[in-house]
Amino acid sequence: MLDKILESELQAIRAKGLYRQMRKVVSSAGPVVFCDGKQMLNFASNNYLSIADDQRLVVAAHRVMDTHGIGASASRLVVGNTDIHEELEQRLASFKNKPAALVFPTGYMANAGCIPAVASGDNDLILADRLVHASLLDACRNSYGKLRVFPHNDTDALEHLLARYHDKKRRILIVTEGVFSMDGDCAPLDRIALLARSYDALLMLDDAHGTGVLGDNGRGAAEMFSVENMVDIHMGTLSKAIGVMGGFVAGSYLLREYLVNKARSFIYTTGLPPALCAASMESLSIIQSEPERRNRLRATSGLVRNELQRIGFTVPDGITPIIPVIIGDATKVMQVSHALSEYGMIAPGIRYPTVPEGKERLRISIQSGHTDAHIDKLLSCMKKIFETL
Ligand SMILES: *Cc1c(COP(=O)(O)O)cnc(C)c1O
């Protein structure tokens, strides 16, 4: 009975060209992966600084596995909170230039816990950019606060909403991202931070893709825009540039204490394995001591954008390693992605509902570890693909 229902639902998904499948990777997630039986260039991961398979992280994790084992075995509030978790939180706080930080098992859970805890009353209002990540939207829907979305990066529309609601609501929480995950563009954080200040709104920044990548010291989009002190809630993940797994929120001491007491995705789940905390700390050290990774990433990303535009692809300008190549058709985008994989390269086609219909795109993500030869190969294959389109 169930299978019959599911088969007809899946058939409808296939008919729309929206069927999703997983690839099987049997190596680490560096610039080159072994996947689906062959060696492939990896233009699909969030491992921007090519740190995920760095041996220094492996050694750091091993050392803590020897003393702390594997699983944290309980929620942080019971006996799942170790010295390693707290050490990582202090490191994250100082990395983000904030008094305190709190680690969650994933970035998804950091958002899921934080937003309903902060916008907790039915007279609270959340103003979110229309293109925020699914984890933020899910978190907003789980909040008792009302959600209004504003058009992507439209600060006039945001101001209009703030002006209309600021004296009618108990509190207003503005939610946006440092780097938008499907477009690779940045929020105008300088303008948004000023608006938050002038209308007494709270500002939450999800910098999943900016952390480690943007700013002179890799502290993220808020560093780049010089608004670190104007962001109330800095959210980030340990799973992208940091190359491990987990999420965090950085902010005031009271924010941390409040989330420990109120964030359900913190309270009702097992703590992150301590070895992953140790690996994350090692990664933060590398990010701080090896700025050349960031510089290389920036230079390569700029070059790839320019060259793809020169070939004739529709690629928005930008400075991040997320490069969307707009194809605008669900079937065609999968053909492009498939053609690339025939050439030995992985870059996913992104379709509705992840992006709006008509904005289907190939999403190329660059790593600092991509060599010039990797990039030449990508560009020459993209040129051939363009000619067949
Ligand atoms: C990836 C991502 C998350 C979730 O982070 P995980 O650690 O992978 O759960 C949250 N927000 C944004 C914007 C993301 O891109």
Side-chain angles (χ1 to χ4, degrees):
M1 172 74 174
L2 175 63
D3 278 358
K4 217 167 153 188
I5 296 170
L6 301 183
E7 182 48 39
S8 82
E9 300 278 354
L10 283 166
Q11 200 47 50
I13 293 173
R14 282 194 201 94
K16 288 190 204 135
L18 299 179
Y19 189 67
R20 296 165 184 256
Q21 266 175 305
M22 291 185 275
R23 293 172 175 276
K24 185 155 51 180
V25 176
V26 293
S27 67
S28 61
V32 181
V33 290
F34 204 81
C35 178
D36 296 339
K38 58 179 175 172
Q39 190 165 296
M40 310 270 275
L41 289 183
N42 179 9
F43 291 103
S45 92
N46 306 313
N47 182 20
Y48 302 117
L49 300 174
S50 301
I51 287 180
D53 59 353
D54 191 293
Q55 282 307 301
R56 289 169 285 183
L57 272 64
V58 177
V59 169
H62 268 293
R63 201 180 302 128
V64 165
M65 277 191 261
D66 286 340
T67 54
H68 291 65
I70 307 287
S73 85
S75 136
R76 295 275 303 278
L77 278 163
V78 183
V79 284
N81 181 45
T82 69
D83 52 335
I84 315 294
H85 290 93
E86 294 195 354
E87 210 185 314
L88 171 61
E89 286 169 346
Q90 279 169 14
R91 290 286 299 279
L92 284 167
S94 70
F95 176 62
K96 285 279 179 179
N97 254 349
K98 292 283 129 189
L102 186 67
V103 167
F104 292 73
T106 68
Y108 188 102
M109 292 170 78
N111 285 335
C114 189
I115 291 179
V118 173
S120 56
D122 57 13
N123 195 29
D124 296 339
L125 177 66
I126 305 165
L127 299 177
D129 188 287
R130 196 156 66 86
L131 295 190
V132 294
H133 189 255
S135 61
L136 289 165
L137 285 180
D138 292 355
C140 292
R141 291 193 188 109
N142 270 330
S143 158
Y144 285 110
K146 299 276 181 297
L147 169 65
R148 293 289 308 262
V149 295
F150 57 91
H152 180 50
N153 282 348
D154 185 338
T155 50
D156 291 339
L158 174 60
E159 175 154 29
H160 190 77
L161 288 166
L162 286 165
R164 176 158 161 208
Y165 287 112
H166 83 283
D167 56 3
K168 299 189 180 65
K169 293 289 177 180
R170 183 180 68 152
R171 58 180 84 124
I172 298 181
L173 175 66
I174 301 171
V175 176
T176 191
E177 292 180 17
V179 178
F180 286 84
S181 54
M182 292 301 137
D183 290 69
D185 58 342
C186 297
L189 287 178
D190 43 357
R191 288 265 299 135
I192 291 176
L194 284 174
L195 285 175
R197 177 177 282 178
S198 39
Y199 288 95
D200 282 329
L202 305 168
L203 177 55
M204 173 170 179
L205 175 65
D206 175 335
D207 207 15
H209 296 277
T211 301
V213 169
L214 297 181
D216 288 342
N217 301 287
R219 295 203 298 267
E223 181 192 7
M224 186 175 76
F225 280 98
S226 305
V227 294
E228 283 168 292
N229 291 330
M230 297 168 82
V231 174
D232 299 287
I233 302 172
H234 291 260
M235 176 272 171
T237 87
L238 304 173
S239 27
K240 287 171 179 156
I242 291 174
V244 186
M245 174 90 202
F248 66 90
V249 171
S252 66
Y253 288 112
L254 284 173
L255 175 65
R256 181 179 186 279
E257 187 181 342
Y258 181 75
L259 292 176
V260 166
N261 282 275
K262 287 281 281 192
R264 295 172 66 84
S265 64
F266 177 84
I267 299 170
Y268 298 107
T269 197
T270 301
L272 193 68
L276 298 188
C277 298
S280 300
M281 279 190 267
E282 188 62 33
S283 179
L284 287 174
S285 302
I286 295 172
I287 287 170
Q288 287 168 308
S289 64
E290 298 179 6
E292 59 275 18
R293 289 173 186 264
R294 228 166 8 258
N295 298 337
R296 160 100 194 157
L297 181 67
R298 210 166 290 161
T300 308
S301 305
L303 178 119
V304 171
R305 274 177 199 269
N306 288 341
E307 290 300 312
L308 288 172
Q309 287 170 341
R310 239 165 45 104
I311 291 170
F313 282 110
T314 304
V315 177
D317 290 332
I319 56 162
T320 73
I322 300 173
I323 305 179
V325 182
I326 310 295
I327 306 291
D329 176 88
T331 310
K332 234 187 220 173
V333 77
M334 296 320 283
Q335 283 166 355
V336 171
S337 175
H338 184 73
L340 260 187
S341 90
E342 296 285 296
Y343 286 124
M345 276 164 282
I346 310 174
I350 310 283
R351 294 165 288 179
Y352 179 80
T354 310
V355 296
E357 283 175 290
K359 295 282 185 189
E360 291 83 358
R361 68 203 55 189
L362 188 77
R363 181 176 182 276
I364 294 175
S365 35
I366 304 297
Q367 294 187 28
S368 61
H370 283 129
T371 64
D372 294 350
H374 295 155
I375 298 301
D376 289 348
K377 180 164 180 207
L378 170 71
L379 293 171
S380 71
C381 294
M382 285 299 283
K383 189 154 191 283
K384 285 185 224 160
I385 290 170
F386 185 77
E387 282 154 10
T388 64
L389 272 179

